[in-house]
């Protein structure tokens, strides 16, 4: 099922073959570190580096009798190396290799995810500037509030994704640690310099104090960044779903030439991609919960986290990769209906001007409480009688309070956008290198 959603690049990172490849990279880096320190012959390290390889099928056969994946891996690799194999895994425990290799996989995955986020931000920026003046009704609690532009909405989403980019960068830094510290993290069979040298070769930092494993708070933080990013995409997709509702009709998912919306109702054009993205985000929040449950391991370690991570890391990164790339496609191809936005704006009867009228009356000397009650009373009447708010204001207010021209100015929807340019300037600055 995962292959249906995942891209080949991400599937490759989390393949069993790549896992073994990362294990081998760690083993070789440790052997080279030992050789630099003079603890093993340099020619042995060279032999290990030059000859080491693995056969996943043979590893599986060995594991069927050993019931230990690392021992099966080492037995298989040793068969290719020959005499120098006695220095393979020298002073190490399984988690030294596994946790350090996992850091390499997480780092590779996050690099792909960061590129995905950049694509999403680029699409949002393009739509923001394309629709900076496309008027639409802003809504709070799902109810008409004041006019905004679609460009402002896209800009808001772009800034939110930029914040997630920073969170993902921090997560990448947090998990980019190696652990070559032995059975319970005390370096009893290792020189701490081996960890420093091996981690440097792998582009990682040594974990400053590990047990038999790297503490799982790091991995939970990483999956928090994943889940939070997905939750924002769910928020955006949910807004698209709301705005595609028949009675709103302001945005719409692309509907492809041969696409079908319902097995029973041929007229249906449903926001199925946006709904799918919302569902994936829920799943990723569940993976975060599993990662949080992995933090409290017994003492120096137990294995309760191991089987969980075999599922949550590949699934989380493959699904987030899918979610981000599909969301970028959705934003790029989104159908936008400015005419319907204008129609919905007109449905408000001018009530979006209530705050502006309230402030204008206060500026003319009226007490705020008195002005609020007056505006609320007229707004209620306009809505219940389906009459234009501006007409009621002109009939109720003497010219010395507000002239008809002043009322018309307050009801001009573009009045509400006069300061929005600062948002687009900030967006341009945020996306300008340096």
């Amino acid at each position: 099922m995962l292959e249906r959603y995942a891209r080949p690049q991400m599937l490759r990172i989390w393949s069993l073959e790549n896992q073994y490849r990362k294990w081998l990279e760690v083993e070789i880096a440790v052997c080279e570190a030992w050789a630099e320190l003079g603890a093993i012959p340099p020619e042995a390290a060279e032999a290990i580096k030059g000859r080491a390889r693995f056969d996943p099928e043979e590893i599986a056969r060995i594991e069927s009798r050993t019931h230990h994946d690392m021992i099966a891996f080492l037995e298989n690799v040793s068969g290719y190396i020959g005499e120098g194999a006695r220095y393979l895994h020298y002073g190490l425990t399984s988690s030294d290799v596994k946790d350090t290799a996992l850091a390499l996989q997480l780092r590779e995955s996050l690099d792909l995810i960061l590129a995905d986020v950049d694509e999403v931000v680029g699409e949002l920026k393009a739509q923001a500037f394309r629709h900076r003046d496309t008027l639409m009704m802003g809504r709070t609690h799902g109810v008409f509030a004041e006019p905004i532009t679609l460009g402002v909405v896209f800009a808001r989403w772009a800034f939110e994704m930029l914040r997630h980019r920073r969170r993902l960068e921090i997560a990448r830094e947090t998990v980019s640690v190696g652990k070559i510290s032995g059975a319970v993290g005390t370096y009893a069979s290792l020189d701490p310099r081996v960890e420093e040298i091996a981690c440097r070769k792998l582009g990682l930092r040594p974990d400053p104090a590990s047990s038999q494993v790297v503490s799982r708070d790091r991995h939970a933080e990483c999956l928090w960044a994943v889940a939070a990013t997905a939750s924002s995409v769910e928020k955006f997709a949910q807004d698209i779903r709301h705005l595609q509702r028949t009675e709103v009709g302001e945005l719409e998912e692309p509907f492809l030439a041969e696409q079908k919306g319902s097995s029973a109702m041929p007229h249906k054009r449903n926001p199925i991609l946006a709904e799918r993205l919302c569902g994936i985000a829920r799943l990723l929040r569940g993976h975060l919960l599993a990662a949080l449950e992995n933090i409290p391991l017994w003492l120096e370690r137990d294995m309760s986290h191991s089987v969980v991570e075999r599922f949550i890391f590949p699934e989380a990164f493959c699904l987030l990769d899918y979610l981000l790339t599909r969301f970028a496609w959705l934003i790029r191809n989104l159908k936008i209906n400015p005419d319907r936005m204008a129609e919905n704006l007109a449905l408000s009867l001018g009530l979006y001007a209530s705050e502006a009228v309230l402030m204008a009356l206060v500026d003319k000397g009226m007490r705020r409480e008195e002005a609020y009650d007056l505006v609320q009373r007229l707004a209620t009447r306009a809505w219940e009688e389906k009459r234009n708010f501006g007409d009621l204001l002109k009939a109720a207010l003497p010219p010395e309070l507000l002239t008809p021209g002043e009322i018309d100015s307050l009801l001009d929807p573009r009045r509400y956008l006069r300061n929005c340019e600062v948002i687009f300037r900030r967006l341009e600055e945020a996306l300008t290198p340096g």
Side-chain angles (χ1 to χ4, degrees), residues 266-319:
H267 73 280
K268 293 284 283 178
R269 298 162 64 97
N270 303 323
I272 58 169
L273 177 55
E275 291 171 342
R276 189 183 311 146
L277 300 182
C278 291
I280 288 173
R282 297 172 191 172
L283 185 60
L284 291 176
R285 288 194 292 274
H287 287 352
L288 169 59
L289 177 59
L292 292 169
E293 295 284 356
N294 279 349
I295 294 176
L297 302 178
W298 282 22
L299 304 175
E300 276 58 59
R301 85 157 295 192
D302 62 58
M303 285 189 63
S304 59
H305 68 290
S306 179
V307 67
V308 178
E309 291 175 354
R310 293 177 191 227
F311 290 92
I312 62 174
F313 289 138
E315 287 188 6
F317 283 103
C318 285
L319 289 174

Side-chain angles (χ1 to χ4, degrees), residues 19-324:
Q19 173 187 287
Y20 291 149
R21 188 177 296 114
K22 297 306 178 193
W23 287 6
L24 194 55
E25 287 180 26
V26 175
E27 293 281 2
I28 290 171
V30 170
C31 287
E32 290 177 330
W34 277 123
E36 284 188 29
L37 296 174
I40 68 174
E43 56 272 19
E46 283 300 317
I48 290 170
K49 184 176 181 179
R51 299 173 185 169
R53 59 183 59 86
F54 56 84
D55 179 348
E57 292 183 1
E58 180 61 22
I59 293 172
R61 284 192 288 271
I62 299 170
E63 188 178 353
S64 68
R65 60 178 169 78
T66 63
H67 300 282
H68 195 292
D69 55 357
M70 182 58 66
I71 289 175
F73 169 78
L74 293 169
E75 184 176 325
N76 176 241
V77 174
S78 295
Y80 292 102
I81 296 171
E83 177 65 21
R86 69 178 184 272
Y87 295 111
L88 192 67
H89 207 67
Y90 188 67
L92 302 182
T93 188
S94 298
S95 292
D96 288 323
V97 179
K98 290 183 176 182
D99 276 8
T100 306
L102 176 59
L104 299 176
Q105 289 177 285
L106 291 171
R107 187 177 64 186
E108 285 186 7
S109 297
L110 285 163
D111 286 341
L112 276 183
I113 294 299
L114 288 166
D116 294 342
V117 172
D118 289 341
E119 182 185 8
V120 169
V121 171
E123 297 296 345
L124 290 170
K125 177 191 175 184
Q127 290 284 34
F129 282 94
R130 187 176 298 123
H131 293 283
R132 65 200 300 168
D133 298 319
T134 302
L135 271 168
M136 66 185 297
M137 180 57 75
R139 298 166 174 90
T140 59
H141 307 274
V143 177
F144 284 177
E146 293 182 354
I148 58 173
T149 74
L150 182 59
V152 167
V153 174
F154 285 128
R156 188 170 68 235
W157 295 356
F159 276 115
E160 192 159 341
M161 290 306 298
L162 284 172
R163 291 192 292 275
H164 286 307
R165 192 189 200 289
R166 179 57 185 148
R167 292 171 184 128
L168 290 161
E169 288 174 342
I170 293 171
R172 185 185 186 279
E173 180 181 353
T174 299
V175 298
S176 292
V177 297
K179 166 251 185 297
I180 312 292
S181 56
V184 288
T186 59
Y187 304 96
S189 299
L190 286 153
D191 187 322
R193 291 175 296 172
V194 170
E195 182 179 61
E196 294 172 4
I197 295 168
C199 284
R200 184 172 66 248
K201 290 178 178 292
L202 296 166
L204 302 173
R205 305 183 316 280
D207 188 332
S210 60
S211 60
Q212 191 173 89
V213 297
V214 171
S215 296
R216 260 43 198 175
D217 64 289
R218 294 180 181 274
H219 306 82
E221 180 181 341
C222 178
L223 282 193
W224 178 86
V226 166
T229 302
S231 293
S232 284
V233 173
E234 179 183 8
K235 167 187 166 183
F236 309 151
Q238 181 172 267
D239 283 358
I240 291 170
R241 291 167 57 196
H242 279 307
L243 294 172
Q244 184 166 335
R245 285 164 36 231
T246 305
E247 60 271 29
V248 180
E250 296 179 358
L251 300 178
E252 186 180 351
E253 276 191 16
F255 198 82
L256 305 180
E258 297 186 17
Q259 186 173 340
K260 312 299 180 187
S262 166
S263 63
M265 297 171 285
H267 73 280
K268 293 284 283 178
R269 298 162 64 97
N270 303 323
I272 58 169
L273 177 55
E275 291 171 342
R276 189 183 311 146
L277 300 182
C278 291
I280 288 173
R282 297 172 191 172
L283 185 60
L284 291 176
R285 288 194 292 274
H287 287 352
L288 169 59
L289 177 59
L292 292 169
E293 295 284 356
N294 279 349
I295 294 176
L297 302 178
W298 282 22
L299 304 175
E300 276 58 59
R301 85 157 295 192
D302 62 58
M303 285 189 63
S304 59
H305 68 290
S306 179
V307 67
V308 178
E309 291 175 354
R310 293 177 191 227
F311 290 92
I312 62 174
F313 289 138
E315 287 188 6
F317 283 103
C318 285
L319 289 174
L320 183 61
D321 181 44
Y322 173 87
L323 179 141
L324 290 170

